[in-house]
Amino acid sequence: MNKKYWLFKAEPHIYGVDHLNAAPEKIGRWDGIRNYQARNFLRDQVAIDDEVFIYHSSCKQVGIVGTAKVIKAAYPDPTQFNLESDYYDPKSTPENPRWVSVDIQLTHTFPRLITLAEIKAQPALENMVLVKQGRLSTQPVTKDEWKFILKMILK
DNA sequence: GCCAACGTTGGC
DNA sequence: GCCAACGTTGGC
């Protein structure tokens, strides 16, 4: 099974690299995904040992802030059953859950943030889903894009 | 199944 | 706060 690469978006004030860094073993549950296209990636394709860019959206500095690896594949997102949660979904049942989570472990916090503007300025990245389809919170990244972005940190 | 109205995401 | 680009809902 080939390792795959992903980009997960989050609003940093809700859940981001800081939360993962503060967690035991830097492990966290990626939950609250309520978009079918994103859900399908999480449920059907995201696998253990896949690597993930953590992206901060809707904030002052939008961009990629670090990497994580998947340590647990899709399982029912517990927040969908929690009446107290913003992510509660009355149409979801334990027998037939709609939404899934994965667990990830932070592997690197970048020494600097790679901004969306930088990414957009790179011809090599013009086909990234991030560039072509703005609104998608869980998206695939190609191996070439992954390697290219890691090199950008050194510049 | 179509499509208008409405809601959300997310950059700027 | 604005607005473009989606996604969702609901009448028919």
Side-chain angles (χ1 to χ4, degrees):
Chain A
M1 185 66 120
N2 275 339
K3 186 162 71 175
K4 295 181 294 304
Y5 302 90
W6 304 96
L7 183 144
F8 289 1
K9 284 186 191 174
E11 299 188 26
H13 64 100
I14 295 173
Y15 199 89
V17 148
D18 294 343
H19 301 79
L20 282 165
N21 256 317
E25 297 182 71
K26 303 187 179 188
I27 288 172
R29 185 180 69 223
W30 206 259
D31 60 23
I33 306 300
R34 294 294 181 271
N35 167 284
Y36 287 106
Q37 208 181 343
R39 189 278 312 266
N40 291 346
F41 283 129
L42 277 184
R43 188 189 59 188
D44 305 333
Q45 296 193 40
V46 174
I48 224 167
D49 288 336
D50 282 0
E51 297 207 65
V52 178
F53 282 134
I54 304 298
Y55 178 93
H56 283 177
S57 67
S58 299
C59 57
K60 268 196 167 172
Q61 281 273 68
V62 297
I64 299 172
V65 289
T67 61
K69 69 175 176 178
V70 177
I71 60 166
K72 186 177 177 185
Y75 60 96
D77 180 347
T79 65
Q80 69 196 311
F81 308 124
N82 179 1
L83 274 161
E84 308 281 300
S85 171
D86 287 345
Y87 303 118
Y88 175 68
D89 184 346
K91 292 177 183 165
S92 203
T93 63
E95 295 73 35
N96 196 9
R98 277 192 182 192
W99 310 110
V100 298
S101 298
V102 299
D103 288 350
I104 60 175
Q105 181 172 36
L106 191 69
T107 42
H108 294 288
T109 305
F110 293 166
R112 69 179 191 85
L113 177 140
I114 311 255
T115 66
L116 178 61
E118 273 181 86
I119 291 167
K120 284 181 171 170
Q122 298 292 338
L125 299 177
E126 67 182 3
N127 288 321
M128 265 192 91
V129 180
L130 183 68
V131 176
K132 301 202 101 175
Q133 185 181 348
R135 302 184 13 159
L136 183 59
S137 58
T138 300
Q139 54 179 260
V141 172
T142 69
K143 188 171 188 178
D144 286 345
E145 288 162 354
W146 180 272
K147 288 196 295 195
F148 191 93
I149 287 167
L150 289 182
K151 278 187 197 156
M152 286 171 71
I153 307 166
L154 306 173
K155 286 176 188 161

